[in-house]
């Protein structure tokens, strides 16, 4: 993922899906030097996101959010490993999973801490 990029959750999911289908699991897992910042704990395909480098932490081990995320009330962050694991699992279950199904799988994982059965 390209750092310091504004996008939507749909674009994130489709980017991971495309990379996985074209380049395989290893390529997706190796592309993990980024974080997603977003404003809501329940995601939609149109949820605005900000892709940034992995965060730094202060002396209290609190995550230091990028300025853009702060200015745009993006007070949630998601690790790339979580998103890629969910997308890989969903596509392995259903190769032609739609972006709606990928989003449903991600929200399910964020709520239940387990993968959804598609």
């Amino acid at each position: 993922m390209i750092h310091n990029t504004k996008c939507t959750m749909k674009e994130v999911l489709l980017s991971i899906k495309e990379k996985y289908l074209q380049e395989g699991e290893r390529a997706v897992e190796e592309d993990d030097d980024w974080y997603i910042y977003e404003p809501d704990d329940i995601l939609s395909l149109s949820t605005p996101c900000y892709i940034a480098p992995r965060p730094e932490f202060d002396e209290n081990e609190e995550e230091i959010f990028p300025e853009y995320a702060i200015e745009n009330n993006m007070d949630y962050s998601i690790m790339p490993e979580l998103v890629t694991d969910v997308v890989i699992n969903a596509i392995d279950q259903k190769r032609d999973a739609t972006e709606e199904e990928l989003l449903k799988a991600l929200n399910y994982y964020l709520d239940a801490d387990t993968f959804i059965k598609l």
Side-chain angles (χ1 to χ4, degrees):
M1 290 283 185
I2 299 172
H3 294 175
N4 306 316
T5 302
K6 296 174 259 181
C7 58
T8 63
M9 185 53 64
K10 177 180 179 177
E11 293 168 319
V12 171
L13 294 171
L14 291 178
S15 175
I16 295 168
K17 176 183 177 180
E18 181 178 312
K19 186 172 194 131
Y20 179 60
L21 291 174
Q22 291 180 0
E23 300 177 38
E25 186 171 344
R26 183 179 177 131
V28 172
E29 290 175 347
E30 288 177 351
D31 183 19
D32 69 351
D33 67 337
W34 51 276
Y35 251 53
I36 301 172
Y37 293 89
E38 36 81 25
D40 301 310
D41 60 343
I42 299 176
L43 304 170
S44 71
L45 292 175
S46 62
T47 297
C49 299
Y50 183 67
I51 306 298
R54 286 191 170 270
E56 294 184 21
F57 294 86
D58 66 16
E59 62 277 351
N60 297 320
E61 297 188 29
E62 294 289 323
E63 184 176 342
I64 300 172
F65 281 69
E67 195 63 36
Y68 181 87
I70 293 168
E71 290 170 0
N72 290 279
N73 298 316
M74 295 179 165
D75 50 3
Y76 292 95
S77 63
I78 305 173
M79 298 182 336
E81 298 88 350
L82 186 145
V83 181
T84 57
D85 285 351
V86 168
V87 170
I88 288 169
N89 178 274
I91 293 171
D92 285 349
Q93 289 184 60
K94 185 176 179 184
R95 188 146 182 93
D96 61 345
T98 65
E99 59 262 19
E100 290 86 3
E101 290 169 316
L102 297 175
L103 178 69
K104 182 178 178 181
L106 180 57
N107 277 322
Y108 184 86
Y109 192 94
L110 291 172
D111 184 53
D113 198 30
T114 191
F115 296 112
I116 196 170
K117 176 118 173 86
L118 294 178

